[in-house]
Amino acid sequence: MPLTHWFYRFFEFGKIQILILQITTLIFSFILIDESDILIRILQLLTLISITGHLATLYKYTSFHKSIQKEPCDISSEIITVLSANVFQENKEYEQFIALINKYNPDIFLTMESDKNWEKALSVLDHKYKYNIKVALDNTYGMHLYSKLKITNHSVHYFVADDLPSIEAKIRTADNFEFTFFAVHPPPPSPTEEENSKERDGELLSIAKKIKQNADTCVVVGDFNNVAWAKSSILFRKTSETIDGRIGRGFISSFHTKYWFLRFPIDLMFHTSDVFIDELKSLEHFGSDHFPIYAKFFINKKASEQEHLTENLEEGEHEIVQEIITEGINEKSDNRN
């Protein structure tokens, strides 16, 4: 994919902020500039065209776009609840987060950026969440998965780098529904971390291919360090043949907690068409730079209402996906040399 430098990725992240700035600028240009200068009119027209393009992209992520609403029935699973949180490795507000878990009492919760200190603090929940997968790292890519539901099998993958884990867990509910839970946290393209998005995109698309091979009910959550409308997110959705859980439910921006004007929806959720979301929202601040994401969903393997929402890769996109994965792996190797 062209233009992978972090500078260009910002314009994907900041689409909401850019839209607001453009609308404001256009309105004030009509109020304050009393001119019929052709150049001014051309700039206004171009701004209007750009606004229209942004609105067309963002509309489906607003509550104005109707999402599929379905009630559980006798062939559905019971409601399953998940809480996903980038805890911020340097954050020491362990008790606040534990209180959050106790308050919402999710069936499953995932932590990212969790190191040995976080693992030790969360050990008080081990008796309540007796199924867990712990990958404690001090490089901000540690990951812990805790579940009340039975984890029948699991794998910790390192697709593009040996210090960048993702979790795949087979989970069985009390009413004998099975699904695969994928936990992801690729590195962000930024001036302080990765210079470009190659490693992030390679990791995400490697996971997407794994999901496609899984051929099972799947739920994918985590800090994607990406927005849902980015080209690489769209390729992720097409490759994995999953549905973006945000569609029709709002932006649900999760980062950064301190700067409301620079807040992006980068903690995402994708799922297969037999998973129906009952609720998806962000929760209160607990000391991290991310808001946690909370979801309620159920499984109905016989329902077909959402099948039309999945997309497939188009001609030539398979090669693009493989090229991005190869570039991601090579990027990590090059950084070691």
Side-chain angles (χ1 to χ4, degrees):
M1 289 176 66
L3 305 178
T4 59
H5 193 273
W6 66 263
F7 176 79
Y8 299 105
R9 297 282 71 79
F10 170 79
F11 292 97
E12 287 184 322
F13 277 56
K15 192 174 284 289
I16 299 170
Q17 288 84 353
I18 292 170
L19 174 62
I20 294 170
L21 181 62
Q22 286 180 324
I23 292 173
T24 304
T25 301
L26 185 62
I27 291 171
F28 276 98
S29 74
F30 281 107
I31 295 172
L32 300 178
I33 301 176
D34 186 19
E35 296 233 6
S36 57
D37 190 300
I38 187 64
L39 180 59
I40 296 296
R41 297 302 179 223
I42 290 173
L43 290 174
Q44 288 172 330
L45 177 61
L46 291 175
T47 302
L48 182 60
I49 292 171
S50 180
I51 288 171
T52 304
H54 286 312
L55 287 173
T57 299
L58 296 174
Y59 170 72
K60 68 172 79 172
Y61 300 101
T62 70
S63 56
F64 297 107
H65 182 91
K66 189 176 180 181
S67 59
I68 301 293
Q69 298 295 329
K70 186 175 179 63
E71 296 295 326
C73 61
D74 56 1
I75 59 171
S76 303
S77 73
E78 295 178 353
I79 291 288
I80 301 161
T81 55
V82 174
L83 190 153
S84 168
N86 182 322
V87 296
F88 185 47
Q89 185 172 294
E90 297 178 13
N91 177 24
K92 306 303 180 185
E93 301 294 339
Y94 308 121
E95 293 303 321
Q96 278 197 52
F97 182 71
I98 292 168
L100 192 76
I101 296 299
N102 288 329
K103 176 181 177 180
Y104 289 95
N105 196 29
D107 297 312
I108 302 164
F109 76 87
L110 168 70
T111 63
M112 293 152 287
E113 289 202 28
S114 40
D115 56 8
K116 279 291 184 183
N117 292 326
W118 272 96
E119 184 175 301
K120 182 179 178 181
L122 294 175
S123 64
V124 298
L125 296 170
D126 283 351
H127 71 285
K128 189 175 179 180
Y129 294 87
K130 62 180 182 178
Y131 301 100
N132 45 65
I133 303 165
K134 301 177 179 181
V135 189
L137 298 172
D138 59 5
N139 64 350
T140 73
Y141 293 103
M143 186 178 285
H144 290 69
L145 179 64
Y146 295 81
S147 178
K148 296 178 184 177
L149 308 177
K150 186 175 183 179
I151 297 177
T152 59
N153 192 17
H154 80 274
S155 300
V156 178
H157 300 292
Y158 297 87
F159 288 112
V160 301
D162 58 9
D163 58 354
L164 185 61
S166 60
I167 294 174
E168 175 186 4
K170 300 283 185 181
I171 297 177
R172 182 181 298 139
T173 67
D175 50 352
N176 286 319
F177 281 77
E178 291 189 325
F179 67 99
T180 305
F181 184 96
F182 285 88
V184 307
H185 183 207
S190 76
T192 57
E193 296 198 47
E194 298 296 324
E195 184 179 87
N196 58 57
S197 64
K198 291 180 180 179
E199 196 173 344
R200 180 202 67 187
D201 295 342
E203 174 76 6
L204 288 176
L205 291 176
S206 296
I207 294 167
K209 288 186 69 174
K210 185 69 176 175
I211 294 167
K212 173 61 178 171
Q213 294 165 3
N214 185 72
D216 190 12
T217 302
C218 287
V219 172
V220 194
V221 300
D223 175 5
F224 278 62
N225 278 312
N226 206 9
V227 287
W229 49 80
K231 291 180 180 179
S232 51
S233 285
I234 294 170
L235 282 177
F236 174 91
R237 177 164 49 81
K238 287 183 174 182
T239 303
S240 60
E241 295 182 13
T242 55
I243 298 168
D244 183 352
R246 266 178 171 74
I247 291 178
R249 294 183 173 86
F251 299 123
I252 317 177
S253 296
S254 57
F255 173 88
H256 194 287
T257 56
K258 290 184 179 179
Y259 311 115
W260 62 267
F261 53 92
L262 285 176
R263 195 165 286 171
F264 310 113
I266 64 174
D267 292 88
L268 307 181
M269 177 180 184
F270 293 85
H271 58 87
T272 48
S273 61
D274 51 358
V275 171
F276 291 83
I277 296 180
D278 184 63
E279 185 178 17
L280 182 63
K281 63 182 181 180
S282 60
L283 302 179
E284 55 265 35
H285 181 233
F286 63 92
S288 174
D289 52 357
H290 287 246
F291 292 104
I293 298 295
Y294 179 78
K296 291 182 179 180
F297 66 90
F298 63 89
I299 301 166
N300 187 328
K301 292 180 178 292
K302 295 185 178 181
S304 59
E305 289 93 332
Q306 296 187 132
E307 288 181 359
H308 69 285
L309 297 177
T310 60
E311 295 182 65
N312 304 104
L313 291 172
E314 299 171 14
E315 184 178 353
E317 288 184 331
H318 290 89
E319 291 77 12
I320 293 172
V321 167
Q322 192 53 53
E323 181 182 342
I324 292 171
I325 292 171
T326 302
E327 286 183 351
I329 295 170
N330 292 341
E331 181 71 12
K332 186 62 179 181
S333 299
D334 291 343
N335 288 343
R336 286 201 187 101
N337 296 331

